[in-house]
Amino acid sequence: MVTTFLGELYGSFAWIPTGVLAAALALKLPAVIRLWREPLLRAVGGLLLLACALFVSVTPSVIGWTNRVTGMPNFSAPWVYSLLMAYSGAGLLLLVAWRDGLSDRSNATRRARRWVISVYSGVIVALWVLFALADVPVERVRDLDTYYANTPFMRELIALYLLAHTVAVLITVRLIWNWVRADGLHGWLRWGLTSLGAGYVLDLVFDLAKLTAVVARWTGHDLDTLSTDIAPCAACLAAVLTAVGFILPHTGQYLHDRLRVRLAHHRLRPLYVLMRTVDGEGGVPFLLFAAPELRLTRRETYIRDVLLPLARHLDEDLRCRAQRAALALGCTPRRAKALAAAVAILDAVDSAG
């Protein structure tokens, strides 16, 4: 009952991870276009594009369409597996570059990049060779791995892609885990890496479910539901968490900065209103489409301009007494300083009036 429900759930919501990945790509795309010379941004954009292509290609309706267009019953199998290998290798390359920096020219980093490119390029070539040698006349949209688990050459093809993907996932999880524990990471990057790590752990669940079902076929047992129901659902959740992991550091920091600016603008309102009573000119003209940063700058500038002629009315002795009184009442030094300044400004406004 549960596995049937999961299978129906996957069939109904298989496009959700594609939509989330496409949204992540759309959020990154303006920065990629604007800063095209930044290799890391291009790499992130390319990885998200590969992920979108992978999840579009793995959707049952697209699998059937690909097979019909090419005229080969299971042509989509090596195509999807090749995209998966390209995505796995690109993820490893990006993580190495992201962690070490593109300027890193150490022998270990260069060897790691060469190893990833050569190994996963070789795996993709081997997948197509094995598929060309295999006999796969019956189209299988959802259960190809288990249906052909004992077929010569397809058996090797399935084992190869699963093992290659599992190795990539294990290495990636280890790299992310080591990086998350490092000092000096700002909060949004740490949360993004945590989401990425959770996504790759679910990728590992996908691999284990597939491998278990395939090995069960090799030993004469039937655990196909792990491959057809559990594994796709794990892959969908993994895609969502991976997309969130890539967009969270940038988007989270952006939203945090916007919120900080808006809060600063709001907190200056009482002082701004007070300065308008002193100036008598109506304050800063309203601009409908002004950016929050511009609104904050204009408000700060206006307050400084009005405070300038009030400076000669400020009572420094009153300010010091007010600060000492605030400290005596248990206020923090920063709060006491702010309260003392407010008292001094209010007194200056009364004196100027």
Side-chain angles (χ1 to χ4, degrees):
M1 180 67 72
V2 174
T3 54
T4 301
F5 170 74
L6 290 174
E8 293 175 353
L9 186 69
Y10 172 71
S12 302
F13 298 99
W15 288 97
I16 289 179
T18 307
V20 175
L21 289 166
L25 180 60
L27 287 171
K28 284 288 187 182
L29 195 58
V32 173
I33 295 174
R34 187 174 63 254
L35 302 172
W36 179 250
R37 294 185 179 181
E38 290 292 333
L40 280 179
L41 279 175
R42 292 203 307 269
V44 171
L47 187 68
L48 289 172
L49 186 61
L50 269 175
C52 288
L54 173 61
F55 272 89
V56 168
S57 300
V58 82
T59 306
S61 59
V62 176
I63 289 176
W65 177 84
T66 303
N67 293 336
R68 289 193 303 271
V69 168
T70 58
M72 302 178 66
N74 293 291
F75 179 87
S76 59
W79 169 249
V80 168
Y81 299 155
S82 296
L83 285 175
L84 182 60
M85 294 301 97
Y87 173 76
S88 301
L92 279 174
L93 288 174
L94 174 62
L95 200 60
V96 170
W98 196 2
R99 184 195 62 177
D100 298 337
L102 291 174
S103 59
D104 190 337
R105 293 292 185 267
S106 68
N107 290 332
T109 300
R110 286 198 298 268
R111 282 197 304 270
R113 292 172 183 168
R114 286 197 300 266
W115 181 86
V116 171
I117 292 172
S118 59
V119 167
Y120 283 89
S121 297
V123 169
I124 291 173
V125 172
L127 291 176
W128 285 98
V129 171
L130 289 169
F131 180 74
L133 295 172
D135 182 20
V136 285
V138 181
E139 182 184 49
R140 308 304 298 184
V141 174
R142 292 195 57 198
D143 63 345
L144 181 139
D145 290 342
T146 50
Y147 186 86
Y148 288 110
N150 289 307
T151 302
F153 299 110
M154 277 302 291
R155 175 179 56 236
E156 289 76 12
L157 183 153
I158 294 165
L160 177 62
Y161 99 80
L162 286 174
L163 290 175
H165 187 246
T166 302
V167 169
V169 169
L170 288 172
I171 295 174
T172 304
V173 169
R174 178 63 182 273
L175 290 173
I176 292 174
W177 174 248
N178 289 339
W179 194 4
V180 166
R181 293 187 301 169
D183 296 328
L185 295 181
H186 67 76
W188 290 109
L189 177 57
R190 190 180 299 279
W191 280 108
L193 288 171
T194 302
S195 182
L196 270 179
Y200 276 102
V201 168
L202 282 172
D203 275 333
L204 187 60
V205 173
F206 166 87
D207 289 327
L208 291 176
K210 286 277 187 179
L211 282 168
T212 302
V214 169
V215 171
R217 279 283 186 159
W218 291 347
T219 57
H221 299 85
D222 185 354
L223 294 176
D224 291 7
T225 187
L226 291 175
S227 178
T228 56
D229 298 325
I230 304 298
C233 291
C236 288
L237 291 174
V240 172
L241 289 172
T242 300
V244 170
F246 278 119
I247 65 176
L248 194 59
H250 171 74
T251 306
Q253 189 62 46
Y254 171 80
L255 294 176
H256 178 267
D257 291 342
R258 280 302 179 96
L259 179 61
R260 179 182 54 81
V261 169
R262 290 183 183 277
L263 283 175
H265 185 269
H266 175 72
R267 288 168 179 168
L268 283 175
R269 177 172 173 75
L271 183 56
Y272 170 69
V273 172
L274 179 63
M275 293 300 100
R276 286 177 61 184
T277 64
V278 175
D279 182 45
E281 296 294 334
V284 177
F286 177 73
L287 296 178
L288 181 61
F289 298 107
E293 292 83 0
L294 178 59
R295 294 182 190 275
L296 177 61
T297 301
R298 287 163 61 85
R299 178 164 287 187
E300 289 174 338
T301 302
Y302 176 80
I303 291 172
R304 290 193 187 98
D305 289 344
V306 179
L307 279 174
L308 189 60
L310 282 176
R312 63 179 181 270
H313 298 288
L314 290 174
D315 188 339
E316 184 63 22
D317 183 58
L318 175 64
R319 189 192 66 78
C320 292
R321 292 200 310 271
Q323 185 169 351
R324 287 196 296 270
L327 289 172
L329 290 173
C331 295
T332 63
R334 183 177 179 180
R335 178 67 174 170
K337 185 177 181 180
L339 290 172
V343 169
I345 291 173
L346 287 170
D347 178 72
V349 170
D350 291 338
S351 299

